[in-house]
Amino acid sequence: MTPRYPLTPGRAGAASAALALVLATAAAGSPVQAAGGEGGEVPQGTVVYRATAQFTTAGRARDLLLHPDSKKLYVGSDDLPETAGSNESGLHVLEPADGAVRSTVSQAPGPTGTLGRRAVRQLVAPLPGDGAVFVYPLRGIGTAKDGDAAAAGAWVPGGPVTDAAPGPGPSTVLVAQGSVLSEVDLATAVVRRSLTLEGGDRFAHDRARGTVWFTDLGNRRMYRVDLAAFQVAATVELPAGDGFGGFTEVDPETGAVWVGLDTSVVVHDAAGRRIGVIEGGGADMPRAAGFDAATHEAFVVWQDSGDTSQPGSDDNGALTVHRTRDLEEAAKPVVLPGNHAQLGSAAVAVQPGGAAVFVSDPAAGRITRLERSMSPRITRSPGDRTVAAGAEVSLTAQAEGTPAPTVVWQVSTDTGRTWQAVPGATSTTYAFKAVTADNGRRYRAEFTNDAGTGRTDPAVLTVTAADATTGGGGTAGTSNGAGGSGGAGGPAASAGPDGAAATGGGAGAASGSTGGPVGGSAGGAYGATVGGSADGASGTTVGGTGTTSAGGALASTGTAVASFAGAALVLTAAGWVLVRRTRPSRTG
């Protein structure tokens, strides 16, 4: 598999095409569909990085290190030529939130031990607790921490140091001086072991596996060095090209080696087998890479060549993020305006967990802080509901995202063709009392944050009449025989003074009747009526069991038949059935 980095020749290099597509889709009003909801401006769970701050307090930044213990941002810098009144060379210690300078260590020993102002070209490793190991021109290996007046340092014998990495042990450093790889003492720079390779000047150290990957771009190959024997163990061929190399880095989690070549990144696994190639296109070149074990992602900085005469050059760089397991895009590319390679390579530092990324721009003398956002991903949608008018309705929705999304409930009265926000409905649970007019309406929750918008599946609300399922209970007859109001399938009605309580319906009065509901029961002097009646008119309830009241002479038991005033009561196994006596109709 060979994932392609989505570059297009022209305006924004790697990121412009992807961002333009997202913006065009949103402008056209065509939300992208996503699983678990109705979609939004971007697919649910889309990760994007946004520039939230720019620091111009550390000169021309050449390398970055976010200290794992102290959390401080260390910056190795050269002087900016345009700032004639000051010299920014040295090791700067910044607050990562806002770029405020905590301290600057500008003095380091020269080849004779004399202190002087030194630029810092490469940050090699963090010191325990705080501080950093760094390389300064031409052969200096230094150490310093926040607040130091001067750095400690020593000069490596031989040629200029072209690359460095932490050594196999805590007291050594690996250095390349062209094609010579050496292990040197950190405090004294005394060479302990040395190996001369066929060519190259850059390398990466896989400490977990005791391996060094040394890149020889002139011969388009890598040498795998076994550090235990300090000998070449294997040679791996690199793709043909014109010889430009941006970086050689090892993913400490997997041992895969990533090599920036020309306008692509070539990735091999820990054994040297080719995994894939991330191709750039245009004129952007991969110049730095960082890894995050928590997210299993690689962060690659691409710089424009800075030569606008080349096809695809637009003076802008980009940051791309890739899953280390398959090299696929893990976040939308981000345009880095004006980041080109004419005045040095960019550097990158990644906060553990990927919440923030820092990218240097040597040409502009600035560091950009980018923060991670994730568009809302729906984790719970409301379900369809059927309720009676007057009943309480409670709808719940949930979503996750970074930053935490806000929510607004929406309603549609035209089967989902158009939606309107529900005033005041801005929590994950929306509760209200249903009315008949709500029948057939659809409800959904819309979640929004800086990265986009996500919407739940709609819930359809069905509202039935008040007596269709819950009904209304009858009221009891009065003592003088006034009938109560009837109900259908509702709760028990209130009893009259002399009436006995009935199950599921109204209770009869001494010489009257109550409104007994269908399916309920009533007791009284002459029985209960369906819907209730006055002045002792007899009736019956369906499915009831009657009781004899204090002043009553006849009780219905569900098994007897009583007749009164021309009416016949027939009891069936299912309950009472009212049978009215009819007279033959007269014909003229």
Side-chain angles (χ1 to χ4, degrees):
M1 179 179 63
T2 305
R4 287 187 170 271
Y5 167 54
L7 280 173
T8 55
R11 288 304 307 157
S16 60
L19 295 180
L21 175 60
V22 172
L23 294 174
T25 301
S30 302
V32 182
Q33 205 69 14
E38 290 200 313
E41 298 171 0
V42 296
Q44 293 184 31
T46 297
V47 175
V48 297
Y49 280 87
R50 299 179 184 277
T52 58
Q54 288 189 332
F55 312 150
T56 57
T57 52
R60 183 193 299 172
R62 301 300 298 270
D63 205 1
L64 305 174
L65 186 152
L66 194 61
H67 199 282
D69 300 326
S70 69
K71 314 304 180 186
K72 300 169 186 175
L73 181 63
Y74 278 78
V75 184
S77 297
D78 279 339
D79 182 37
L80 279 169
E82 56 267 29
T83 56
S86 62
N87 187 333
E88 300 94 345
S89 296
L91 181 68
H92 301 274
V93 187
L94 308 184
E95 292 289 355
D98 58 9
V101 179
R102 296 178 58 93
S103 65
T104 298
V105 182
S106 60
Q107 301 290 308
T112 62
T114 304
L115 290 176
R117 185 116 198 179
R118 314 291 179 186
V120 174
R121 297 291 177 84
Q122 183 180 0
L123 296 170
V124 179
L127 291 172
D130 191 25
V133 180
F134 57 91
V135 173
Y136 59 96
L138 294 171
R139 295 178 281 118
I141 302 294
T143 59
K145 65 179 184 300
D146 182 17
D148 285 351
W155 281 58
V156 181
V161 174
T162 55
D163 203 358
S171 63
T172 64
V173 177
L174 294 171
V175 299
Q177 294 166 286
S179 60
V180 179
L181 175 67
S182 302
E183 181 183 3
V184 304
D185 186 78
L186 177 60
T188 64
V190 171
V191 176
R192 295 187 179 183
R193 296 185 291 177
S194 185
L195 171 66
T196 300
L197 297 111
E198 294 182 31
D201 59 4
R202 302 294 298 273
F203 70 95
H205 179 202
D206 183 359
R207 297 188 71 176
R209 297 159 187 83
T211 299
V212 163
W213 292 95
F214 205 98
T215 49
D216 178 0
L217 295 178
N219 294 308
R220 303 299 283 192
R221 63 183 61 164
M222 287 192 299
Y223 307 109
R224 190 177 73 195
V225 178
D226 178 3
L227 281 184
F230 222 71
Q231 295 293 327
V232 175
T235 300
V236 176
E237 298 299 323
L238 294 172
D242 57 16
F244 169 79
F247 60 81
T248 302
E249 298 287 352
V250 167
D251 176 6
E253 181 182 19
T254 66
V257 56
W258 293 52
V259 181
L261 291 174
D262 304 319
T263 57
S264 64
V265 178
V266 182
V267 184
H268 293 78
D269 67 14
R273 292 182 293 265
R274 179 80 55 83
I275 296 174
V277 177
I278 302 172
E279 295 185 349
D284 285 0
M285 301 173 293
R287 302 306 297 263
F291 301 91
D292 179 55
T295 59
H296 314 289
E297 293 171 353
F299 297 76
V300 180
V301 178
W302 305 74
Q303 284 182 291
D304 187 79
S305 66
D307 182 358
T308 55
S309 66
Q310 294 188 28
S313 174
D314 62 359
D315 211 36
N316 295 328
L319 172 73
T320 60
V321 187
H322 308 269
R323 296 194 299 259
T324 54
R325 66 177 181 270
D326 58 13
L327 312 187
E328 292 293 337
E329 183 182 89
K332 291 294 181 183
V334 183
V335 176
L336 301 174
N339 201 321
H340 61 73
Q342 290 294 307
L343 294 178
S345 296
V348 62
V350 182
Q351 189 178 85
V357 179
F358 301 86
V359 178
S360 69
D361 182 349
R366 67 188 173 207
I367 300 166
T368 300
R369 175 189 169 103
L370 302 107
E371 295 183 3
R372 185 186 188 99
S373 298
M374 185 182 76
S375 64
R377 186 176 71 85
I378 305 302
T379 58
R380 179 177 177 181
S381 289
D384 295 346
R385 298 292 305 276
T386 298
V387 299
E392 187 83 4
V393 178
S394 181
L395 303 174
T396 299
Q398 293 176 342
E400 61 182 14
T402 306
T406 59
V407 61
V408 173
W409 284 88
Q410 298 176 333
V411 62
S412 174
T413 59
D414 54 8
T415 66
R417 288 189 293 274
T418 61
W419 294 86
Q420 297 80 38
V422 178
T426 56
S427 66
T428 54
T429 296
Y430 171 42
F432 60 98
K433 185 168 290 187
V435 297
T436 304
D438 293 330
N439 184 50
R441 289 184 174 180
R442 285 163 167 76
Y443 296 87
R444 72 183 185 189
E446 181 179 84
F447 291 87
T448 303
N449 65 8
D450 290 344
T453 297
R455 305 181 184 97
T456 65
D457 288 324
V460 179
L461 180 62
T462 301
V463 182
T464 62
D467 61 352
T469 55
T470 60
T475 61
T478 63
S479 59
N480 65 358
S485 61
S494 58
D498 298 323
T503 302
S511 59
S513 57
T514 68
V518 176
S521 65
Y526 308 112
T529 63
V530 178
S533 64
D535 298 324
S538 64
T540 181
T541 59
V542 178
T545 56
T547 59
T548 303
S549 67
L554 175 64
S556 58
T557 64
T559 58
V561 179
S563 62
F564 180 75
L569 300 179
V570 180
L571 178 66
T572 67
W576 291 98
V577 177
L578 176 63
V579 180
R580 295 184 181 274
R581 185 172 304 207
T582 61
R583 296 183 180 181
S585 61
R586 296 184 179 181
T587 59

